[in-house]
Amino acid sequence: MSVRENIVQVQERMAAACHRAGRQVEEVKLIAVSKTFPAERIREAYEAGLRDFGENRVQEAAPKIAALEGLEITWHLIGHLQSNKAKRARELFHWVHSVDSVYLAQKLDHAAQNSSARLPILLQVNLGVEETKSGLREEEALRTAEEASSFSSLEVRGLMLLPPFSENPDEVRPYFRRLRTLADEIRMALPAATELSMGMSHDFEAAIEEGATMIRVGTAIFGMR
Ligand SMILES: *Cc1c(COP(=O)(O)O)cnc(C)c1O
């Protein structure tokens, strides 16, 4: 299957999930996760109509972003960000989904150029409380969101979830639901925090049914890594 055919299939799955949930397809943004794939594959997806791409490492993304300069791409950083790479991340990316500390938010804020627009960020929440995964604990999320929103060059736009891995989307569904509940609480303090980045190739339908506004899809678009 070509990248273009894969994208059509993903869009059909998205439309069906939106229909089941009584949502409009425009409410859910498809982010094509292009990690490990070269710039030519990204260009194919772009030519098939996609405009949002996700990468999880700053160093890997930099040459691809350079190679595709001039295209109207919105780049999303979705992987763990080390604070010493905050400046480079800010130069390359339009969104950062993986903010997991006030310290990192501060580093991103300090990396801002004087005139640059506010950087939209999401806070990554680790609902599984897995030692191996980065992310805030549920009870830290609200306070972190409030502190991060005090940085003038950042805009806290919502939450991101990397749930415990399960083949079965119904086992992941309770985590999607909890992230949504948490986001509803945070939105009372921060009305701009409307985004829920959750759902990957094997479980994005469940995520859409539970309120995802951004899904991060790699394998189903580009094939196996
Ligand atoms: C790789 C990755 C994805 C995409 O996963 P697929 O299963 O290939 O769709 C989504 N989110 C993050 C944070 C990733 O690192």
Side-chain angles (χ1 to χ4, degrees):
M1 293 265 278
S2 68
V3 165
R4 182 179 291 271
E5 288 167 320
N6 287 342
I7 290 169
V8 170
Q9 279 205 345
V10 167
Q11 287 169 334
E12 284 170 2
R13 287 169 59 190
M14 288 174 72
C18 284
H19 183 72
R20 283 195 296 279
R23 303 181 64 196
Q24 304 294 314
V25 282
E26 298 76 34
E27 293 173 39
V28 185
K29 191 181 289 290
L30 172 59
I31 299 174
V33 177
S34 47
K35 67 185 182 207
T36 78
F37 290 97
E40 299 88 82
R41 291 285 93 69
I42 300 174
R43 192 182 290 274
E44 281 177 45
Y46 182 89
E47 282 165 3
L50 299 192
R51 292 293 178 270
D52 289 84
F53 291 88
E55 287 280 338
N56 67 344
R57 294 178 60 234
V58 172
Q59 302 98 304
E60 185 195 334
K64 294 193 232 175
I65 293 174
L68 297 166
E69 210 190 314
L71 302 188
E72 283 172 27
I73 292 180
T74 300
W75 291 102
H76 300 255
L77 180 62
I78 61 171
H80 177 66
L81 175 60
Q82 289 171 291
S83 55
N84 63 358
K85 301 211 176 71
K87 187 163 188 293
R88 193 76 184 111
R90 182 129 200 185
E91 289 161 4
L92 292 167
F93 289 91
H94 304 100
W95 283 74
V96 176
H97 291 225
S98 46
V99 175
D100 59 2
S101 68
V102 175
Y103 181 71
L104 179 58
Q106 182 182 50
K107 287 285 179 185
L108 285 166
D109 181 57
H110 288 178
Q113 302 298 313
N114 299 331
S115 61
S116 64
R118 289 169 84 189
L119 175 73
I121 62 166
L122 305 179
L123 301 179
Q124 183 178 338
V125 184
N126 179 0
L127 292 178
V129 200
E130 291 165 292
E131 291 296 327
T132 52
K133 277 188 191 138
S134 48
L136 295 159
R137 282 177 292 119
E138 199 168 1
E139 58 275 17
E140 300 174 304
L142 176 59
R143 185 177 46 80
T144 307
E146 287 175 334
E147 290 183 29
S149 70
S150 71
F151 296 118
S152 59
S153 79
L154 304 181
E155 185 166 34
V156 178
R157 292 299 312 278
L159 302 179
M160 183 268 218
L161 175 70
L162 195 58
F165 182 80
S166 166
E167 289 285 346
N168 178 357
D170 283 322
E171 282 176 13
V172 187
R173 197 181 283 272
Y175 293 99
F176 294 147
R177 221 167 260 175
R178 266 167 71 195
L179 194 77
R180 186 195 181 146
T181 306
L182 185 58
D184 289 343
E185 284 166 31
I186 289 173
R187 212 169 40 250
M188 298 213 250
L190 303 171
T194 54
E195 305 290 340
L196 275 179
S197 169
M198 59 187 193
M200 313 198 288
S201 289
H202 69 292
D203 60 13
F204 70 75
E205 285 108 327
I208 289 172
E209 288 164 19
E210 300 303 334
T213 63
M214 295 175 152
I215 59 172
R216 310 180 307 266
V217 179
T219 311
I221 291 175
F222 295 108
M224 296 295 273
R225 289 183 290 273

